[in-house]
mmCIF file of all heavy atoms in Angstrom:
data_model
loop_
_atom_site.group_PDB
_atom_site.id
_atom_site.type_symbol
_atom_site.label_atom_id
_atom_site.label_comp_id
_atom_site.label_asym_id
_atom_site.label_seq_id
_atom_site.Cartn_x
_atom_site.Cartn_y
_atom_site.Cartn_z
ATOM 1 N N ILE A 124 1.778 -8.793 -10.517
ATOM 2 C CA ILE A 124 0.697 -9.295 -9.647
ATOM 3 C C ILE A 124 1.178 -9.390 -8.202
ATOM 4 O O ILE A 124 0.438 -9.124 -7.257
ATOM 5 C CB ILE A 124 0.142 -10.628 -10.171
ATOM 6 C CG1 ILE A 124 -1.237 -10.910 -9.560
ATOM 7 C CG2 ILE A 124 1.085 -11.787 -9.897
ATOM 8 C CD1 ILE A 124 -2.299 -9.912 -9.972
ATOM 9 N N GLY A 125 2.438 -9.760 -7.998
ATOM 10 C CA GLY A 125 2.962 -9.846 -6.632
ATOM 11 C C GLY A 125 3.004 -8.505 -5.941
ATOM 12 O O GLY A 125 2.574 -8.349 -4.807
ATOM 13 N N TYR A 126 3.500 -7.486 -6.638
ATOM 14 C CA TYR A 126 3.536 -6.148 -6.067
ATOM 15 C C TYR A 126 2.122 -5.563 -5.897
ATOM 16 O O TYR A 126 1.867 -4.837 -4.933
ATOM 17 C CB TYR A 126 4.357 -5.196 -6.963
ATOM 18 C CG TYR A 126 5.829 -5.545 -7.067
ATOM 19 C CD1 TYR A 126 6.548 -5.289 -8.222
ATOM 20 C CD2 TYR A 126 6.500 -6.123 -5.989
ATOM 21 C CE1 TYR A 126 7.895 -5.593 -8.326
ATOM 22 C CE2 TYR A 126 7.840 -6.423 -6.083
ATOM 23 C CZ TYR A 126 8.547 -6.170 -7.253
ATOM 24 O OH TYR A 126 9.874 -6.472 -7.334
ATOM 25 N N SER A 127 1.236 -5.884 -6.819
ATOM 26 C CA SER A 127 -0.153 -5.404 -6.694
ATOM 27 C C SER A 127 -0.799 -5.919 -5.416
ATOM 28 O O SER A 127 -1.506 -5.193 -4.714
ATOM 29 C CB SER A 127 -0.979 -5.841 -7.920
ATOM 30 O OG SER A 127 -0.490 -5.265 -9.097
ATOM 31 N N PHE A 128 -0.548 -7.205 -5.123
ATOM 32 C CA PHE A 128 -1.110 -7.796 -3.914
ATOM 33 C C PHE A 128 -0.442 -7.253 -2.655
ATOM 34 O O PHE A 128 -1.078 -7.125 -1.616
ATOM 35 C CB PHE A 128 -0.919 -9.326 -3.961
ATOM 36 C CG PHE A 128 -1.870 -10.044 -4.889
ATOM 37 C CD1 PHE A 128 -2.681 -9.361 -5.767
ATOM 38 C CD2 PHE A 128 -1.947 -11.423 -4.864
ATOM 39 C CE1 PHE A 128 -3.543 -10.020 -6.607
ATOM 40 C CE2 PHE A 128 -2.802 -12.109 -5.711
ATOM 41 C CZ PHE A 128 -3.620 -11.410 -6.596
ATOM 42 N N ALA A 129 0.860 -6.966 -2.751
ATOM 43 C CA ALA A 129 1.637 -6.682 -1.538
ATOM 44 C C ALA A 129 1.785 -5.208 -1.196
ATOM 45 O O ALA A 129 2.077 -4.870 -0.039
ATOM 46 C CB ALA A 129 3.037 -7.304 -1.677
ATOM 47 N N PHE A 130 1.631 -4.304 -2.159
ATOM 48 C CA PHE A 130 1.994 -2.901 -1.964
ATOM 49 C C PHE A 130 1.276 -2.287 -0.768
ATOM 50 O O PHE A 130 1.881 -1.646 0.100
ATOM 51 C CB PHE A 130 1.681 -2.119 -3.240
ATOM 52 C CG PHE A 130 2.204 -0.723 -3.254
ATOM 53 C CD1 PHE A 130 3.378 -0.364 -2.609
ATOM 54 C CD2 PHE A 130 1.514 0.264 -3.938
ATOM 55 C CE1 PHE A 130 3.865 0.921 -2.640
ATOM 56 C CE2 PHE A 130 1.988 1.589 -3.986
ATOM 57 C CZ PHE A 130 3.175 1.891 -3.334
ATOM 58 N N GLY A 131 -0.031 -2.479 -0.687
ATOM 59 C CA GLY A 131 -0.783 -1.895 0.429
ATOM 60 C C GLY A 131 -0.366 -2.466 1.784
ATOM 61 O O GLY A 131 -0.281 -1.734 2.782
ATOM 62 N N LEU A 132 -0.056 -3.761 1.808
ATOM 63 C CA LEU A 132 0.375 -4.383 3.054
ATOM 64 C C LEU A 132 1.735 -3.834 3.503
ATOM 65 O O LEU A 132 1.975 -3.624 4.706
ATOM 66 C CB LEU A 132 0.454 -5.907 2.871
ATOM 67 C CG LEU A 132 -0.880 -6.618 2.670
ATOM 68 C CD1 LEU A 132 -0.657 -8.107 2.379
ATOM 69 C CD2 LEU A 132 -1.786 -6.454 3.871
ATOM 70 N N VAL A 133 2.634 -3.602 2.533
ATOM 71 C CA VAL A 133 3.947 -3.036 2.884
ATOM 72 C C VAL A 133 3.769 -1.611 3.453
ATOM 73 O O VAL A 133 4.421 -1.230 4.429
ATOM 74 C CB VAL A 133 4.882 -3.032 1.661
ATOM 75 C CG1 VAL A 133 6.175 -2.282 1.983
ATOM 76 C CG2 VAL A 133 5.188 -4.456 1.215
ATOM 77 N N LEU A 134 2.895 -0.826 2.834
ATOM 78 C CA LEU A 134 2.676 0.529 3.306
ATOM 79 C C LEU A 134 2.140 0.568 4.742
ATOM 80 O O LEU A 134 2.541 1.423 5.538
ATOM 81 C CB LEU A 134 1.699 1.267 2.386
ATOM 82 C CG LEU A 134 2.216 1.606 0.978
ATOM 83 C CD1 LEU A 134 1.106 2.214 0.142
ATOM 84 C CD2 LEU A 134 3.405 2.537 1.042
ATOM 85 N N THR A 135 1.258 -0.364 5.076
ATOM 86 C CA THR A 135 0.713 -0.381 6.437
ATOM 87 C C THR A 135 1.704 -1.007 7.427
ATOM 88 O O THR A 135 1.861 -0.500 8.551
ATOM 89 C CB THR A 135 -0.616 -1.169 6.487
ATOM 90 O OG1 THR A 135 -0.425 -2.480 5.971
ATOM 91 C CG2 THR A 135 -1.671 -0.466 5.676
ATOM 92 N N ALA A 136 2.397 -2.079 7.034
ATOM 93 C CA ALA A 136 3.271 -2.800 7.970
ATOM 94 C C ALA A 136 4.620 -2.131 8.149
ATOM 95 O O ALA A 136 5.163 -2.110 9.254
ATOM 96 C CB ALA A 136 3.451 -4.237 7.496
ATOM 97 N N GLN A 137 5.213 -1.576 7.078
ATOM 98 C CA GLN A 137 6.547 -1.017 7.165
ATOM 99 C C GLN A 137 6.538 0.489 7.375
ATOM 100 O O GLN A 137 7.435 1.027 8.051
ATOM 101 C CB GLN A 137 7.333 -1.353 5.889
ATOM 102 C CG GLN A 137 8.786 -0.878 5.919
ATOM 103 C CD GLN A 137 9.633 -1.457 4.774
ATOM 104 O OE1 GLN A 137 9.294 -2.504 4.251
ATOM 105 N NE2 GLN A 137 10.673 -0.741 4.412
ATOM 106 N N PHE A 138 5.575 1.182 6.801
ATOM 107 C CA PHE A 138 5.552 2.628 6.882
ATOM 108 C C PHE A 138 4.419 3.175 7.753
ATOM 109 O O PHE A 138 4.243 4.399 7.854
ATOM 110 C CB PHE A 138 5.472 3.249 5.486
ATOM 111 C CG PHE A 138 6.723 3.062 4.679
ATOM 112 C CD1 PHE A 138 6.885 1.975 3.848
ATOM 113 C CD2 PHE A 138 7.780 3.971 4.804
ATOM 114 C CE1 PHE A 138 8.054 1.801 3.112
ATOM 115 C CE2 PHE A 138 8.930 3.806 4.071
ATOM 116 C CZ PHE A 138 9.091 2.714 3.232
ATOM 117 N N GLY A 139 3.666 2.292 8.419
ATOM 118 C CA GLY A 139 2.669 2.710 9.381
ATOM 119 C C GLY A 139 1.515 3.527 8.816
ATOM 120 O O GLY A 139 0.872 4.297 9.538
ATOM 121 N N ARG A 140 1.178 3.309 7.533
ATOM 122 C CA ARG A 140 0.049 4.018 6.946
ATOM 123 C C ARG A 140 -1.261 3.439 7.448
ATOM 124 O O ARG A 140 -1.381 2.226 7.697
ATOM 125 C CB ARG A 140 0.046 3.942 5.424
ATOM 126 C CG ARG A 140 1.263 4.526 4.726
ATOM 127 C CD ARG A 140 1.402 6.018 4.933
ATOM 128 N NE ARG A 140 2.234 6.305 6.096
ATOM 129 C CZ ARG A 140 2.478 7.527 6.553
ATOM 130 N NH1 ARG A 140 1.936 8.577 5.957
ATOM 131 N NH2 ARG A 140 3.265 7.707 7.594
ATOM 132 N N THR A 141 -2.294 4.275 7.614
ATOM 133 C CA THR A 141 -3.622 3.801 7.968
ATOM 134 C C THR A 141 -4.243 3.122 6.745
ATOM 135 O O THR A 141 -3.785 3.312 5.603
ATOM 136 C CB THR A 141 -4.524 4.963 8.402
ATOM 137 O OG1 THR A 141 -4.762 5.809 7.269
ATOM 138 C CG2 THR A 141 -3.878 5.758 9.534
ATOM 139 N N PRO A 142 -5.333 2.325 6.925
ATOM 140 C CA PRO A 142 -5.994 1.710 5.775
ATOM 141 C C PRO A 142 -6.384 2.727 4.708
ATOM 142 O O PRO A 142 -6.193 2.481 3.511
ATOM 143 C CB PRO A 142 -7.203 1.035 6.379
ATOM 144 C CG PRO A 142 -6.783 0.683 7.767
ATOM 145 C CD PRO A 142 -5.913 1.828 8.197
ATOM 146 N N LEU A 143 -6.925 3.866 5.106
ATOM 147 C CA LEU A 143 -7.332 4.882 4.127
ATOM 148 C C LEU A 143 -6.114 5.463 3.414
ATOM 149 O O LEU A 143 -6.133 5.655 2.185
ATOM 150 C CB LEU A 143 -8.106 5.987 4.818
ATOM 151 C CG LEU A 143 -8.622 7.124 3.907
ATOM 152 C CD1 LEU A 143 -9.525 6.537 2.812
ATOM 153 C CD2 LEU A 143 -9.371 8.185 4.712
ATOM 154 N N GLN A 144 -5.044 5.739 4.161
ATOM 155 C CA GLN A 144 -3.835 6.285 3.547
ATOM 156 C C GLN A 144 -3.217 5.265 2.551
ATOM 157 O O GLN A 144 -2.779 5.646 1.445
ATOM 158 C CB GLN A 144 -2.805 6.633 4.618
ATOM 159 C CG GLN A 144 -3.193 7.846 5.434
ATOM 160 C CD GLN A 144 -2.279 8.025 6.651
ATOM 161 O OE1 GLN A 144 -1.729 7.061 7.190
ATOM 162 N NE2 GLN A 144 -2.111 9.284 7.100
ATOM 163 N N ALA A 145 -3.197 3.998 2.947
ATOM 164 C CA ALA A 145 -2.651 2.970 2.050
ATOM 165 C C ALA A 145 -3.524 2.801 0.805
ATOM 166 O O ALA A 145 -3.021 2.732 -0.313
ATOM 167 C CB ALA A 145 -2.535 1.637 2.791
ATOM 168 N N ALA A 146 -4.855 2.758 1.006
ATOM 169 C CA ALA A 146 -5.761 2.552 -0.106
ATOM 170 C C ALA A 146 -5.707 3.704 -1.103
ATOM 171 O O ALA A 146 -5.941 3.519 -2.305
ATOM 172 C CB ALA A 146 -7.194 2.398 0.400
ATOM 173 N N SER A 147 -5.370 4.918 -0.608
ATOM 174 C CA SER A 147 -5.287 6.066 -1.512
ATOM 175 C C SER A 147 -4.091 6.011 -2.437
ATOM 176 O O SER A 147 -3.987 6.773 -3.386
ATOM 177 C CB SER A 147 -5.228 7.370 -0.681
ATOM 178 O OG SER A 147 -4.026 7.454 0.044
ATOM 179 N N LEU A 148 -3.155 5.058 -2.179
ATOM 180 C CA LEU A 148 -1.938 4.936 -2.975
ATOM 181 C C LEU A 148 -1.844 3.624 -3.753
ATOM 182 O O LEU A 148 -1.235 3.588 -4.837
ATOM 183 C CB LEU A 148 -0.722 5.045 -2.069
ATOM 184 C CG LEU A 148 -0.503 6.390 -1.348
ATOM 185 C CD1 LEU A 148 0.581 6.243 -0.280
ATOM 186 C CD2 LEU A 148 -0.120 7.472 -2.344
ATOM 187 N N THR A 149 -2.456 2.563 -3.241
ATOM 188 C CA THR A 149 -2.214 1.241 -3.780
ATOM 189 C C THR A 149 -2.691 1.074 -5.230
ATOM 190 O O THR A 149 -2.104 0.313 -6.000
ATOM 191 C CB THR A 149 -2.867 0.154 -2.928
ATOM 192 O OG1 THR A 149 -4.247 0.479 -2.740
ATOM 193 C CG2 THR A 149 -2.184 0.047 -1.587
ATOM 194 N N PHE A 150 -3.743 1.768 -5.626
ATOM 195 C CA PHE A 150 -4.312 1.563 -6.941
ATOM 196 C C PHE A 150 -3.480 2.217 -8.054
ATOM 197 O O PHE A 150 -3.595 1.842 -9.230
ATOM 198 C CB PHE A 150 -5.743 2.087 -7.013
ATOM 199 C CG PHE A 150 -5.838 3.591 -7.054
ATOM 200 C CD1 PHE A 150 -5.916 4.258 -8.260
ATOM 201 C CD2 PHE A 150 -5.851 4.328 -5.883
ATOM 202 C CE1 PHE A 150 -5.998 5.630 -8.304
ATOM 203 C CE2 PHE A 150 -5.955 5.708 -5.908
ATOM 204 C CZ PHE A 150 -6.005 6.375 -7.134
ATOM 205 N N ILE A 151 -2.644 3.200 -7.720
ATOM 206 C CA ILE A 151 -1.937 3.986 -8.742
ATOM 207 C C ILE A 151 -0.997 3.102 -9.568
ATOM 208 O O ILE A 151 -1.018 3.148 -10.797
ATOM 209 C CB ILE A 151 -1.187 5.153 -8.088
ATOM 210 C CG1 ILE A 151 -2.131 6.081 -7.374
ATOM 211 C CG2 ILE A 151 -0.391 5.913 -9.163
ATOM 212 C CD1 ILE A 151 -1.448 7.187 -6.567
ATOM 213 N N GLY A 152 -0.152 2.317 -8.895
ATOM 214 C CA GLY A 152 0.807 1.488 -9.594
ATOM 215 C C GLY A 152 0.143 0.452 -10.512
ATOM 216 O O GLY A 152 0.471 0.384 -11.705
#
């Protein structure tokens, strides 16, 4: 649950992904 909540935020904050780019990945895990 912790990673589920945080994964998208890490992608945007640490790797500079846009909301659409992050959302396209966050659901897979």
Side-chain angles (χ1 to χ4, degrees):
I124 199 65
Y126 295 148
S127 297
F128 284 10
F130 189 32
L132 292 175
V133 173
L134 290 176
T135 56
Q137 183 169 335
F138 290 92
R140 300 296 92 183
T141 67
L143 181 58
Q144 289 170 331
S147 67
L148 296 168
T149 53
F150 74 93
I151 299 173

